[in-house]
């Protein structure tokens, strides 16, 4: 691999100290190609790529990949966990109150953690997680005024 080439999923797994399996590669690819997917959708994507995989195996792999920093877990209030491949930049999310669609929102100001707490209570803050709520374009056109 040259310095300018993008590492493969297998290389990233190895680099994170994780065992490389066809299911883990398929899972990482599914999350990265998806759009804030839930566990069932990820499991379906993995099955399309490699055949049978248990839901428990998907949960275990997601836990390992999240802990290794290869995927990010978000859990908007009242929604099941979703996973994305965009990691390391401390971006935020906007969620549609009607259909549940999720979109990325880049940091509003400055470097991570993007926001400054009014009181830190002695904590060393390294991340801010903000979720904006509203209506997506499709749902907002459904509302009659």
């Amino acid at each position: 691999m040259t310095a300018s080439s993008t590492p493969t999923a297998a290389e990233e797994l190895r680099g994170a100290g994780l065992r490389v399996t066809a299911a883990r590669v398929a899972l990482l690819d599914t999350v990265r190609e998806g759009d804030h997917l839930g566990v069932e959708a990820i499991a379906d994507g993995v099955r399309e790529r490699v055949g049978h995989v248990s839901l428990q195996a998907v949960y275990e792999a997601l836990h390992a990949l999240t802990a290794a920093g290869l995927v990010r877990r978000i859990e908007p209030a009242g929604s099941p966990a979703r996973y994305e491949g965009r990691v390391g930049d401390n971006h935020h999310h906007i969620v549609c109150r009607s259909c549940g669609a999720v979109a990325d929102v880049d940091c509003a100001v400055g470097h991570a953690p993007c926001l400054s707490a009014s009181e830190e209570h002695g904590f060393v803050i390294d991340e801010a997680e903000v979720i904006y709520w509203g209506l997506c374009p499709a749902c907002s056109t459904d509302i009659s005024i």
Side-chain angles (χ1 to χ4, degrees):
M1 179 176 82
T2 64
S4 64
S5 68
T6 303
T8 65
E11 291 167 338
E12 288 185 82
L13 289 166
R14 272 189 216 96
L18 298 173
R19 190 167 47 95
V20 177
T21 66
R24 283 185 174 176
V25 168
L27 188 146
L28 189 54
D29 288 341
T30 299
V31 169
R32 288 184 172 163
E33 292 170 10
D35 186 20
H36 305 97
L37 299 174
V39 175
E40 292 287 342
I42 294 169
D44 290 344
V46 172
R47 290 179 186 126
E48 287 175 12
R49 288 172 160 84
V50 298
H52 177 75
V53 64
S54 72
L55 199 54
Q56 182 62 35
V58 171
Y59 275 107
E60 290 171 2
L62 283 168
H63 179 74
L65 294 177
T66 301
L70 296 177
V71 300
R72 182 176 176 193
R73 176 189 166 131
I74 63 166
E75 195 168 352
S79 300
R82 296 182 185 210
Y83 295 84
E84 65 180 338
R86 185 175 169 186
V87 297
D89 67 351
N90 194 221
H91 67 280
H92 308 301
H93 297 93
I94 188 163
V95 180
C96 179
R97 289 186 188 279
S98 181
C99 70
V102 178
D104 291 336
V105 176
D106 290 326
C107 286
V109 180
H111 301 285
C114 304
L115 303 173
S116 297
S118 60
E119 291 184 48
E120 290 125 5
H121 300 281
F123 285 71
V124 176
I125 299 172
D126 62 5
E127 182 177 0
E129 186 172 314
V130 175
I131 298 179
Y132 300 94
W133 294 88
L135 293 175
C136 70
C139 291
S140 64
T141 59
D142 292 341
I143 297 174
S144 52
I145 300 177

